[in-house]
Every structure is written in C-alpha cells, then in structure tokens.
Amino acid sequence: MSVDFNSPKNGLTVVRVLCFFSFNYQISYYPCAIVHWYSYVCEECDPNTGMYVIMPVTTGGNVPDVSIIHVNCIFHAAHLIPVYGLDFIPKISPHNSYDMFDSYYVNRYTDHHAFEIA
C-alpha cells in the first residue's frame, strides 16, 4: 500500500500486526512485522463520535493487503472499536475479533497520547 500524505492523518495509517519476526543478513539485524493495511472510510471524522472510521484494505479477489514492514515504521498502538450494524453479533473470540466486522472507529479517547495523535 502506498502512503498518501494528503490523507486525513498526514500520512499516518492504521495497520493490524499479524506477526512480529526478525532476521539477520550479513552483519545487520532486521526486526520486522507482517501487517494488514487499513484505510480511512472518509476524509472527515464521524460527526456522531468524533472518531475516524477505517476498514481493512483488500486487493483483487477480496484478498487482504498484507506487507512486511520494519518495526521502526510503527509509531503508536491504536485502539479500535467495531462499527456495529443492525445484525446479531455472533460469538467472538480474541483470535477472530478483527475479522468479524467490516469497519472500525479509531478511538482517540483511549488515553491522552492517542488524543494528541488522532
């Protein structure tokens, strides 16, 4: 996924970390993460909550947009709240909670650091 510096958050985007790993190449150590990209649904915050809404990015054929990034590219943890619909919510367990919803609020009220960033 390319970074759009004209995005709502000046180039900051949200990813879901799927795995942390590292490797050595010659004399260098590379700590990395496999991430699933998320995109902003709208340029503006949701008027009812004051929070941005994001959704997972997929490529053709509904395949998740996944990349490997250096851990230094990770700026801050984000607290995501599902955008609930009108349908009944099935049983959710921790390992599939981010797969059960189509979009999420980026909670800017979780702590004062998140409030300054979001």
Side-chain angles (χ1 to χ4, degrees):
M1 176 171 185
S2 63
V3 176
D4 179 10
F5 291 102
N6 294 319
S7 71
K9 297 309 298 162
N10 299 320
L12 291 178
T13 188
V14 177
V15 298
R16 174 185 174 191
V17 175
L18 303 174
C19 176
F20 287 104
F21 69 97
S22 63
F23 64 93
N24 294 311
Y25 180 71
Q26 296 180 350
I27 60 169
S28 298
Y29 172 75
Y30 297 95
C32 298
I34 300 174
V35 298
H36 182 186
W37 294 95
Y38 283 69
S39 65
Y40 293 95
V41 172
C42 186
E43 293 277 330
E44 303 296 324
C45 292
D46 178 73
N48 296 322
T49 63
M51 295 184 275
Y52 286 103
V53 179
I54 60 168
M55 62 186 299
V57 175
T58 57
T59 60
N62 207 25
V63 176
D65 188 359
V66 177
S67 300
I68 297 174
I69 63 171
H70 194 282
V71 294
N72 288 350
C73 296
I74 299 172
F75 181 67
H76 194 279
H79 180 242
L80 304 181
I81 302 171
V83 176
Y84 299 100
L86 300 174
D87 297 333
F88 178 75
I89 300 172
K91 184 175 180 178
I92 299 173
S93 55
H95 72 276
N96 68 354
S97 60
Y98 286 109
D99 299 325
M100 302 301 294
F101 298 94
D102 296 327
S103 57
Y104 302 88
Y105 295 109
V106 180
N107 185 1
R108 64 185 289 170
Y109 307 109
T110 186
D111 64 25
H112 71 281
H113 297 293
F115 185 76
E116 291 173 358
I117 296 168

